[in-house]
Amino acid sequence: MQKFDPLPDFAEITPSAAIAAQTHGWRAKCLQRLIRLDMPVPRSVSLPASLVRCIAAGQAMDYASVLHLFGERPLISVRPSPANPDWGGPSTVLNIGMNGARHAELVERHGQAAADALYLRFVQGYAVHVARLDPDMFEGREPSGEALRAALRAYADEMEEPFPEDPARQLSEVLRSMARAWEGTSARLLRQAKGAPEDAALGLVVQAMAQGIGQGISGSGVIQFVDPVTGEPQITGRWLRQAQDRAALRDTDEALYLTRDARGPSLQDIAPGIFETLSRQGTACRAKLREEMQIEFTIEDGRLAVIDAVRVQRSSRAGLRIAVDLADAGIITRNEALLRVEPRALSELLHPQVDPRGPRDVFARGIAASPGGATGRIVFSSAGAQASAARGEPCILVKRETAPEDIRGMHSAAGVLTERGGITSHAAVIGRGLGLPCIVGASDLRIDPRERRITGADGRVFREGDIVTVDGTTGEVLAGAADMLPPALDGHFRKLLSWADAVRDIGIRANADTPADAQTARDFEAQGIGLCRTEHMFFEDARLVAMREMIFADSPKDRAAALARILPMQRNDFVQLFEIMEGLPVCIRLFDPPLHEFLPHSRDGMRELAEALDRPLSEVTRRAEALTEFNPMLGMRGVRLGIVLPEIYDMQAQAIFEATIEIAARGGSVVPEIMIPLVSAKREVELVKTRVDAVAAKVRTAKSRDFDYKLGVMVETPRAALRAGDIAQHAAFLSFGTNDLTQMTYGLSRDDAGRFMNTYVQQGVFPEDPFHILDVDGVGELLLIGAERGRRTREKLVLSICGEHGGNPESISFCRKAGFDYVSCSPYRVPLARLAAAHLALLEPLIEDVEIQ
Ligand code: PEP
Ligand code: MG
C-alpha cells in the first residue's frame, strides 16, 4: 500500500482548479464544467482518488478543515466520483452535519415536519450505508417525529452508543465507509464486469446541501432533454415539492411534470422562469459536455441550484440516436459518433417487435422499460431461467422485482416481467443494458412465487411453464405466443452505418442461402453474398425428397432423372437471389452435403423415403447402409462428391449460368461467383474448372448469349492453405471456411467437441472455444500462409473468410490486418460487422505487410 505523508490535498472545485477525471473522477470534472458554464452549483470540494485510498487504509485526514469550507454549521452531502460513471460506486449520503442543534434550528426555519423528515433521512442513510445496520429496521418509514425518534433509538440500541452528533465524526465515518465499500469484493467484481481496470480508483465529492424545502417554491427534481428509450429530443423528468435529491423519481403520486401537461400542474406552469433557465442550461450543457445529460436540481425559496449532472441512462436505440443527433448538430464528429456506439449494442436494435396488427390477448400492463418483444415459458427464478436456457427453451423471467443476483438469470431469459419498479429500477436498467425486452411495474398482476403462478388483471391464472409474450415496447403482457415483426431499422441506424461504411476499409458480405436470407442481407446493406450453401436450399420437406433421390440414385440414368427435377428449382433459386441482390456479387458454393444430414436415421424415416421414392424398403435400407460413412464430416463431402459424380456440379453450373442469362434478359446484370468446397489438391480444382468451363460454353451456345463468371476455392483443409500457391493458379478468389479449417487443424469434430469443450476452456487448455473465437495462433497462421502463398501466385487474388467467425470483431480485425478483401457473416451480424470494421479503421492503423513468423 502507498503511504502518504502528508496526505494528498483536497481541492475546492472552482473554474480554474486542477481537476482531472483521471485523478478526481468524472463527477468532480463534470461539476467543474457546470461551474464554468456559470450554473448555480453549491460549493463543492473534491477528494482525489489518492486521498480516498489513504482514507480506506485507515489514515485520518483533517476533516475539520473540509467542514470549515462549508461555514459554521455545515450541512453537506458526499457523492462518489469514479473515473468512469459506468463503474458505479457507493451510495450518496445526504445531510451530514445534522444533529439535535441543527434539527432545532431547522424546526424554527422550516417547521417541525420538514426538519423531522430531513433528520430522519440522514439517520436512515447513515445507519444503512455507514453503520451497515439492517435496512429493514430503518427504511420504509413515513417521515414523522415518531419515526425519527424510533430510528435514533434503533441506532442507539444496535450500536450501543447514541447517534453521533459531531459533524467531523459523521464526515469521517461517511468517507471511510464509502472508501472501503469501493474496495469490497462485490463492488470490485461489478465494476470489472463493466470494463473497469483492477486498480480503478474512487474520488469523492463533498457538496453543500441545497435544501429543497422552504416557504416559497421549493423542491427537487431531474430534467433531461431526450427520451431515454428512443433518444428523441423531448423534455422529460419529474419534480417534487419540498423534497431533496432524487426523491421525485421514487414511486410517488405527488411528483409533478416538468412541461405543461393536461394531467396536472407542471414546473413550467408554476415557475416558468426557472423552467426556462433549466432548458437553457440543458442546451449549454449538451454543447459543453458534448453529451445528453440529466441535470439534478433543487429549488429553495425560488432559488435554483444545480446539484449534479449525469449522462442520461439510455437504451441502445437511444444511444445510437443521441450519437447521430450530436454529430448532426456539429457537437461531436461523425467518427466520434461511430466510436460512441458499441458494435455489439446494435443487436438490440435488430430485435423483433410484437406485430401491432396481430391478435393481442393482453392480461396485464406495466411500464415499457426495454423495447422489443419476446415469447417464452414463465419461470420464477434466475435458476429456472438458467435451466431453461440450458435446454434451449426461451423463457420469461417473472419476479416481484429483480436484484443484482438476478443478473445471470436475466442473461439467460428472453424477456423480463416485474410487478414492481419504475423506468429506472434494476430490472429496467439492466434489461435496457442487455437489450432484453422488459416490462416493470405491472402492478395489476399478482405474482405468487411460492405457488409458482401469476394472476392477471382479469383474474386469469398462468403457471410456471405457460407461454406468454412481453411487449417491452408497449408494456403489455400477452397470453401465448404473439406474431412478431422483424426489427425496424430507422433513419438514424442507417445514417450511422452509412458513416461506418465511409470509413471502414474491409468489405462485409452475408452468408445467405435462401431468398429470405438474401432479403435480410440486403436490408442490412451487405455488399453481396459471400457464401450461399446450396445444399441448404433443400432442407424443406418437398425438396428434401428430390435431394435424397439424387443421393440415392445408383445408376447414371436415375441420377440424371433426379437432377433434371432439381435443375429448374436451382435455376429459380438463383434467379431470385440475383434479383434480390440487384447486381451485387453472389458467391454460390457448389453442393457440400454431409451425406448423413440427408439420410434418414430411423426405420420410419426409411419407410417414408421408400414411399417417396417408390422403392422397396429393403432396397432403400441397403442403399442407406452402403452410403453410411464412419466419418461423414471427413467423407464424401464437398468437391469429392463433385469429382466422383461430376454430373451433380454440372447441373448446378448450368442452373447458375441459365439464371445469369435470365437476369440479363430482364435487364439486370450479374457476374456469378462459383465456389468449390472442401478442396485439398490443385487437381480437384482443375477437374471441376474444366467441366464448369465446358458447361458455360454449352449454355452460351444453346442460348446464344455470353456471360462472365468467376471460379474460386473454399480453403477449408490445412492442405489447401499450405498449397494455396498451386490452387490459386486456377482460382480467382479464395474464401477461408474457418469452421472446417478449425475442425481439421485441431482434429476436433465440429459435431462432438461440445462434450468436452467446457472442460477444456475451464481448465485453460483453450482460451476460448475455437469454433466461436478464431484461433489466431494456429488456424490464423494457416490463414496467413494461405493468403500469402495465394497472392504470390496471383497478385489480385480476392481473399475472404466465411466461417461463423466472420462476424466477430476480433476476426474482422485479424482479416483486415492480413489484407483480406471482405468478411462474410450471417445476415443479422452484418450491421455489427459494419460498425466493428469502422471502429477498427479508426482505432487500429493498418500494418501493411503482415509477415508470417
Ligand atoms: C466452413 O467450413 O467454414 C464453412 C463456411 O462451411 P460449412 O459451415 O458449410 O461447412
Ligand atoms: Mg465447410
Side-chain angles (χ1 to χ4, degrees):
M1 191 219 0
Q2 211 175 352
K3 278 230 166 208
F4 289 91
D5 193 16
L7 288 179
D9 254 348
F10 54 86
E12 180 171 355
I13 305 179
T14 59
S16 58
I19 305 277
Q22 272 317 309
T23 48
H24 292 76
W26 71 272
R27 177 166 266 130
K29 187 69 209 166
C30 175
L31 286 171
Q32 185 179 46
R33 291 194 171 120
L34 302 183
I35 290 167
R36 284 180 183 158
L37 285 170
D38 265 345
M39 292 198 190
V41 178
R43 173 167 274 185
S44 304
V45 166
S46 167
L47 275 51
S50 52
L51 175 55
V52 176
R53 243 188 236 123
C54 296
I55 295 172
Q59 286 182 264
M61 65 174 286
D62 184 2
Y63 302 103
S65 60
V66 176
L67 285 171
H68 184 69
L69 287 170
F70 295 95
E72 261 176 41
R73 283 183 307 283
L75 217 42
I76 52 179
S77 66
V78 181
R79 293 169 198 272
S81 181
N84 181 324
D86 294 338
W87 299 346
S91 304
T92 293
V93 182
L94 302 180
N95 300 320
I96 301 158
M98 182 67 91
N99 51 25
R102 198 78 170 88
H103 175 245
E105 248 178 61
L106 289 172
V107 172
E108 284 283 293
R109 245 175 87 196
H110 300 305
Q112 187 76 40
D116 287 349
L118 289 186
Y119 200 176
L120 176 65
R121 190 79 202 281
F122 177 51
V123 176
Q124 287 171 329
Y126 192 94
V128 174
H129 299 300
V130 181
R132 309 261 160 222
L133 297 181
D134 185 354
D136 288 348
M137 291 172 59
F138 293 90
E139 288 177 350
R141 296 171 196 253
E142 280 303 306
S144 69
E146 181 41 44
L148 170 62
R149 285 185 289 280
L152 287 168
R153 257 196 322 272
Y155 181 94
D157 286 350
E158 285 297 306
M159 300 297 291
E160 297 182 357
E161 63 166 6
F163 190 79
E165 290 262 309
D166 173 18
R169 157 123 193 259
Q170 292 174 354
L171 179 63
S172 78
E173 295 291 338
V174 168
L175 294 179
R176 201 165 48 87
S177 83
M178 289 176 82
R180 290 205 170 149
W182 181 253
E183 307 285 341
T185 311
S186 50
R188 189 187 297 272
L189 287 177
L190 261 174
R191 64 177 176 265
Q192 280 175 4
K194 291 176 183 159
E198 224 165 280
D199 61 350
L202 175 76
L204 291 170
V205 170
V206 184
Q207 190 180 64
M209 289 295 306
Q211 281 308 352
I213 50 172
Q215 307 301 324
I217 296 174
S218 300
S220 71
V222 297
I223 183 168
Q224 60 192 27
F225 304 88
V226 288
D227 180 299
V229 174
T230 64
E232 267 173 70
Q234 186 185 12
I235 295 184
T236 59
R238 311 246 284 173
W239 181 65
L240 188 64
R241 290 184 215 236
Q242 305 296 340
Q244 282 189 326
D245 194 35
R246 302 170 78 84
L249 291 182
R250 292 190 199 103
D251 274 343
T252 167
D253 296 336
E254 288 157 31
L256 305 182
Y257 300 99
L258 292 179
T259 48
R260 207 150 279 140
D261 196 297
R263 289 166 294 178
S266 68
L267 182 67
Q268 194 173 15
D269 295 321
I270 297 167
I274 291 176
F275 178 81
E276 276 310 309
T277 308
L278 276 171
S279 304
R280 254 198 336 273
Q281 287 174 343
T283 309
C285 204
R286 180 191 304 111
K288 177 74 183 169
L289 275 68
R290 307 164 72 246
E291 217 353 324
E292 281 297 346
M293 303 298 285
Q294 183 188 65
I295 297 177
E296 193 179 312
F297 63 93
T298 296
I299 306 168
E300 190 177 339
D301 281 334
R303 273 192 324 280
L304 176 69
V306 170
I307 307 297
D308 199 11
V310 293
R311 258 177 102 245
V312 169
Q313 286 265 12
R314 60 199 71 180
S315 67
S316 299
R317 188 177 294 252
L320 185 147
R321 169 142 193 186
I322 290 168
V324 170
D325 284 348
L326 288 173
D328 275 345
I331 293 172
I332 61 174
T333 63
R334 287 180 178 183
N335 289 352
E336 220 173 329
L338 286 169
L339 292 173
R340 284 191 184 192
V341 180
E342 180 50 42
R344 288 192 163 91
L346 291 186
S347 45
E348 183 198 335
L349 313 189
L350 313 176
H351 278 325
Q353 305 282 336
V354 175
D355 188 343
R357 295 161 302 185
R360 299 175 77 85
D361 186 2
V362 178
F363 69 89
R365 283 188 175 77
I367 298 166
S370 178
T375 296
R377 295 186 186 281
I378 295 175
V379 294
F380 288 99
S381 66
S382 288
Q386 284 168 260
S388 186
R391 291 194 301 273
E393 277 180 4
C395 68
I396 304 296
L397 178 61
V398 179
K399 298 214 66 170
R400 290 227 168 98
E401 61 202 332
T402 64
E405 53 271 23
D406 288 310
I407 292 204
R408 294 189 58 194
M410 292 181 75
H411 268 284
S412 308
V416 175
L417 168 64
T418 70
E419 189 183 336
R420 299 186 189 143
I423 195 80
T424 52
S425 65
H426 178 264
V429 171
I430 301 293
R432 283 198 292 277
L434 294 177
L436 200 61
C438 176
I439 297 176
V440 297
S443 50
D444 54 0
L445 197 70
R446 271 205 332 279
I447 298 179
D448 188 344
R450 207 165 302 147
E451 291 297 320
R452 299 187 172 275
R453 67 172 182 214
I454 53 181
T455 311
D458 54 5
R460 272 190 287 174
V461 174
F462 297 82
R463 296 182 189 278
E464 189 160 44
D466 287 351
I467 290 186
V468 293
T469 298
V470 292
D471 185 345
T473 310
T474 63
E476 289 176 330
V477 195
L478 318 176
D483 296 348
M484 292 284 177
L485 272 184
L489 305 172
D490 62 19
H492 290 83
F493 181 93
R494 291 187 182 281
K495 194 181 254 186
L496 185 88
L497 287 178
S498 73
W499 296 345
D501 293 347
V503 298
R504 73 182 156 86
D505 48 17
I506 186 165
I508 311 286
R509 292 199 198 178
N511 294 350
D513 309 325
T514 61
D517 287 349
Q519 193 55 58
T520 311
R522 202 78 182 89
D523 292 345
F524 291 149
E525 298 178 52
Q527 289 165 290
I529 294 179
L531 171 65
C532 168
R533 293 173 162 108
T534 47
E535 68 282 358
H536 285 200
M537 295 169 149
F538 290 85
F539 278 157
E540 66 181 66
D541 274 357
R543 286 177 156 223
L544 190 56
V545 174
M547 185 72 164
R548 281 173 168 171
E549 268 182 40
M550 182 190 81
I551 292 172
F552 271 75
D554 53 0
S555 73
K557 189 168 141 269
D558 286 354
R559 188 162 309 108
L563 289 173
R565 259 196 301 284
I566 293 180
L567 175 71
M569 296 179 195
Q570 282 273 266
R571 187 171 47 226
N572 188 38
D573 288 337
F574 299 138
V575 167
Q576 285 192 56
L577 288 190
F578 294 155
E579 272 199 331
I580 292 168
M581 298 312 291
E582 290 183 275
L584 291 173
V586 176
C587 180
I588 298 167
R589 179 176 81 181
L590 298 174
F591 277 141
D592 176 14
L595 287 184
H596 64 296
E597 285 181 20
F598 287 91
L599 292 180
H601 297 291
S602 64
R603 212 165 159 72
D604 283 350
M606 296 284 183
R607 195 169 301 115
E608 271 174 34
L609 184 59
E611 262 168 35
L613 300 182
D614 195 20
R615 300 274 184 86
L617 177 63
S618 59
E619 191 188 322
V620 168
T621 314
R622 221 178 18 254
R623 184 83 182 118
E625 271 164 16
L627 288 169
T628 300
E629 296 173 303
F630 283 107
N631 266 321
M633 291 303 274
L634 300 179
M636 202 164 82
R637 281 181 61 195
V639 69
R640 297 160 198 172
L641 186 76
I643 300 286
V644 176
L645 303 170
E647 59 272 35
I648 297 180
Y649 280 6
D650 287 353
M651 176 280 293
Q652 287 199 288
Q654 184 182 343
I656 293 168
F657 296 141
E658 287 178 0
T660 305
I661 289 172
E662 191 164 334
I663 290 295
R666 295 180 190 185
S669 127
V670 61
V671 178
E673 297 174 5
I674 300 178
M675 183 152 74
I676 313 172
L678 223 75
V679 164
S680 56
K682 176 174 95 166
R683 185 71 186 138
E684 290 167 325
V685 186
E686 275 169 1
L687 288 174
V688 174
K689 183 169 169 12
T690 307
R691 289 194 70 117
V692 170
D693 287 343
V695 173
K698 227 165 95 187
V699 174
R700 282 188 184 112
T701 312
K703 304 274 179 192
S704 309
R705 289 289 179 91
D706 200 8
F707 52 82
D708 280 334
Y709 66 95
K710 292 181 184 153
L711 193 83
V713 165
M714 218 169 151
V715 178
E716 299 176 274
T717 66
R719 193 174 190 285
L722 296 171
R723 304 307 302 164
D726 290 349
I727 288 170
Q729 288 171 22
H730 303 301
F733 60 89
L734 296 183
S735 186
F736 290 87
T738 45
N739 303 332
D740 274 310
L741 195 56
T742 300
Q743 166 166 267
M744 295 194 209
T745 303
Y746 279 83
L748 197 62
S749 161
R750 282 165 74 167
D751 299 323
D752 301 316
R755 291 169 69 178
F756 54 86
M757 190 57 76
N758 272 350
T759 314
Y760 257 54
V761 173
Q762 267 163 19
Q763 298 197 14
V765 184
F766 301 154
E768 307 267 4
D769 176 348
F771 289 110
H772 284 147
I773 304 290
L774 182 71
D775 158 44
V776 289
D777 298 335
V779 180
E781 186 170 4
L782 282 171
L783 260 60
L784 293 180
I785 291 172
E788 200 266 338
R789 293 186 184 172
R791 282 224 169 124
R792 213 181 294 156
T793 299
R794 191 186 281 254
E795 207 190 323
K796 299 235 167 337
L797 185 71
V798 174
L799 296 173
S800 62
I801 179 177
C802 63
E804 294 310 309
H805 307 92
N808 283 343
E810 300 81 2
S811 316
I812 300 174
S813 166
F814 180 87
C815 293
R816 187 177 155 264
K817 285 186 189 145
F820 281 32
D821 297 279
Y822 67 87
V823 299
S824 190
C825 56
S826 81
Y828 274 96
R829 305 201 77 192
V830 165
L832 183 162
R834 289 165 68 196
L835 184 56
H839 278 207
L840 292 167
L842 293 170
L843 297 173
E844 290 183 8
L846 262 188
I847 304 158
E848 282 306 334
D849 303 308
V850 178
E851 298 280 338
I852 301 167
Q853 292 140 13

